[in-house]
């Protein structure tokens, strides 16, 4: 059985005795084990990152960006291998896995432009013959803690920018699908990244707590569920670190009666069931306004009936399994709760059987109609292929519903009315908004982040906010002495 080890100083490193199991969710088979770090392992990774900082933090911009350019080429060349690897542990279909790698690659490409991005500002003659300028310097050793649902992309939201900015990085990936991060670290080694600049520790809360409490860690980026995001933010900031912690979501898609219903049905099915609903930007609530539901739902059901659920490695599959048996049980329990709470289950995925994959963690697409806001299937993030339809009479009711929810990650509106769409993008209190686009994930050169309980901290992740997060600003005021300015003056300096 393969053992996924830590990655320290550009080498795979054994941990202690604690290990977790890794599964292929399509077959239900245990495929590997992953080592769980002790505090000692984390200390070793942080010490290595601290040592590497001495030279990497001072390496020229040219050197840093050259490593990233080389890494970009290697990821591009090995895209398929990375995609297959993550499908085998996560379960998502290959085309989706390829898309994930592509979106990660775009952040690497953004980070290649660090020489332009990390420029400071300069003002000549802020006072006579006095200049002032700002410099952005690395924070130091940064840590990243990432979720299972994008095992390649979410770490790539973090470390390419962090290391481009001159930091060193310790990554704690999800223990559910850990292999892909080690593979990417090997590519970075091939790209010329010096040892210690990116270290990986695998494991659970023990590793996370050790990072949060470590005096040599300066910044922590987290992506995962809201309760853990809150914990990371509170614990990290209490220990004096800067923290950005992205949490969970319940993304609403509003459909106005004038929308293109075929477009809306395609979008709802793609964004509701893509990656088996295990996306933080998945659409999990469809808010139909007026009579939109009557026109939309038959089209959605038609598309759902044609969906092919199967092993993600089979190119014909459109939706794969859920990540673990435990997660499958959790999602099924929500379907049961929805029925018990009185929502109308119009498509029941629990009956699905995937031939030859009887032990896989599959659940077919589920659709609830007549969902009410007080129901747990509306309130909670289910993170599975379960789409809830809430019918409201007016646009104002739709916006009110969205505003009363605790999450505010992504949202979408489908309409042909430009005025309504414009009003919506301005009114809605959500971090990322799609207009006739169901999953509005910002490009690498914008930044990704929700509002309310979907993000703790202020700076969003990647893009320019990423550069701000991974650098500290320093302002210099400089005068090159001129004899005519000599003399003691105890007054507060005046500009002249
Ligand atoms: P999770 O919160 O369970 O785990 C995330 C990370 O935290 C993992 O590395 C895990 O090992 C660690 N962790 C788990 N429990 C911990 C604890 N008690 N103490 C310290 N560390 C702990 O999330 P997940 O199940 O891996 O991922 C799914 C969640 O991530 C969903 O809620 C989804 O919405 C969210 N997510 C959010 C975004 C975003 O950008 N906002 C993106 C992707 C996923």
């Amino acid at each position: 059985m393969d053992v996924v080890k830590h990655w320290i100083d550009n080498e795979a490193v054994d941990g202690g005795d604690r290990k977790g199991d890794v599964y292929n969710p399509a077959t239900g088979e245990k495929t590997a084990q992953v080592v769980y770090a002790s505090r000692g392992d984390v200390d070793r990774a942080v010490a290595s990152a601290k040592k590497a900082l001495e030279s990497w933090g001072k390496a020229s911009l040219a050197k840093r960006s050259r490593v990233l350019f080389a890494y970009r080429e290697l990821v591009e060349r090995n895209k398929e291998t990375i995609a297959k690897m993550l499908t085998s542990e996560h379960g998502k279909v290959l085309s989706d896995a390829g898309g994930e790698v592509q979106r990660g690659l775009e952040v690497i490409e953004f980070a290649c432009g660090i020489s332009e991005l990390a420029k400071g500002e300069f003002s000549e003659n802020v006072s006579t013959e006095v200049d002032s300028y700002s410099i952005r310097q690395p924070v130091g050793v940064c840590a990243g803690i990432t979720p299972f649902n994008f095992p390649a992309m979410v770490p790539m939201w973090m470390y390419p920018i962090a290391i481009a900015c001159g930091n060193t990085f310790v990554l704690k990936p999800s223990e559910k699908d850990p292999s892909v991060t080690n593979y990417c670290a090997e590519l970075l080694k091939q790209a010329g990244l010096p040892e210690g600049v990116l270290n990986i520790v695998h494991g659970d809360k023990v590793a996370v707590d050790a990072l949060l409490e470590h005096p040599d860690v300066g910044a922590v980026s987290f992506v995962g569920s809201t309760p853990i995001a809150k914990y990371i933010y509170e614990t990290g900031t209490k220990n004096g670190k800067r923290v950005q912690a992205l949490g969970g979501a319940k993304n609403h898609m509003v459909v106005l009666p004038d929308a293109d219903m075929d477009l809306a049905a395609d979008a709802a099915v793609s964004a509701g069931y893509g990656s088996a609903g295990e996306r933080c930007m998945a659409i999990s609530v469809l808010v139909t306004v007026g009579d939109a539901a009557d026109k939309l739902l038959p089209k959605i059901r038609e598309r759902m009936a044609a969906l092919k659920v199967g092993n993600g490695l089979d190119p014909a599959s459109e939706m794969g399994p859920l990540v673990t048996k435990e997660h499958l049980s959790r999602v099924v329990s929500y379907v049961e709760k929805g029925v018990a709470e009185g929502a109308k289950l119009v498509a029941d995925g629990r009956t699905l059987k995937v031939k030859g994959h009887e032990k896989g963690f599959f659940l077919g697409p589920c659709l609830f109609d007549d969902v009410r806001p007080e129901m747990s299937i509306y309130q909670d993030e289910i993170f599975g292929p379960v789409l809830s339809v809430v019918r409201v009479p007016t646009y104002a009711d739709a916006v009110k519903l969205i505003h009363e929810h605790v999450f505010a990650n992504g949202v979408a509106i489908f309409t042909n009315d430009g005025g309504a769409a414009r009003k919506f993008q301005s009114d809605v209190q959500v971090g990322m908004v799609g207009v006739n686009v169901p999953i509005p994930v910002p490009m690498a050169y914008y930044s990704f982040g929700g509002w309310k309980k979907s993000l703790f901290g202020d700076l969003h992740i990647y893009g320019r906010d990423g550069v701000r997060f991974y650098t500290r600003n320093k302002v210099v005021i400089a005068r090159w002495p001129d004899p005519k300015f000599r003399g003691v003056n105890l007054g507060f300096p005046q500009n002249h």
Side-chain angles (χ1 to χ4, degrees), residues 224-295:
S225 61
T226 284
I228 312 296
K230 186 167 184 283
Y231 169 75
I232 301 281
Y233 186 76
E234 289 173 354
T235 314
T237 51
K238 195 173 75 194
N239 286 304
K241 305 177 195 323
R242 58 171 69 179
V243 181
Q244 54 178 185
L246 284 72
K250 194 82 181 174
N251 306 309
H252 295 60
M253 172 171 150
V254 178
V255 182
L256 298 187
D258 75 320
D260 177 331
M261 292 300 165
D262 284 304
L263 183 75
D266 288 344
V269 172
S270 311
Y273 303 115
S275 201
E278 291 172 326
R279 290 181 182 143
C280 64
M281 290 294 273
I283 292 295
S284 46
V285 183
L286 207 53
V287 187
T288 56
V289 176
D291 64 357
D294 300 332
K295 293 183 269 180

Side-chain angles (χ1 to χ4, degrees), residues 433-455:
V433 183
V435 175
N436 296 316
V437 170
I439 303 194
V441 173
M443 299 299 131
Y445 37 90
Y446 284 85
S447 299
F448 182 111
W451 290 10
K452 292 158 73 178
K453 292 284 189 287
S454 296
L455 180 125

Side-chain angles (χ1 to χ4, degrees), residues 146-149 172 175 205 222-225 247-248 280 381 383 448:
T146 52
F148 80 83
N149 67 324
K172 205 303 280 172
E175 64 280 28
K205 185 171 164 56
F222 172 87
V223 176
S225 61
C280 64
E381 181 183 45
F383 223 55
F448 182 111

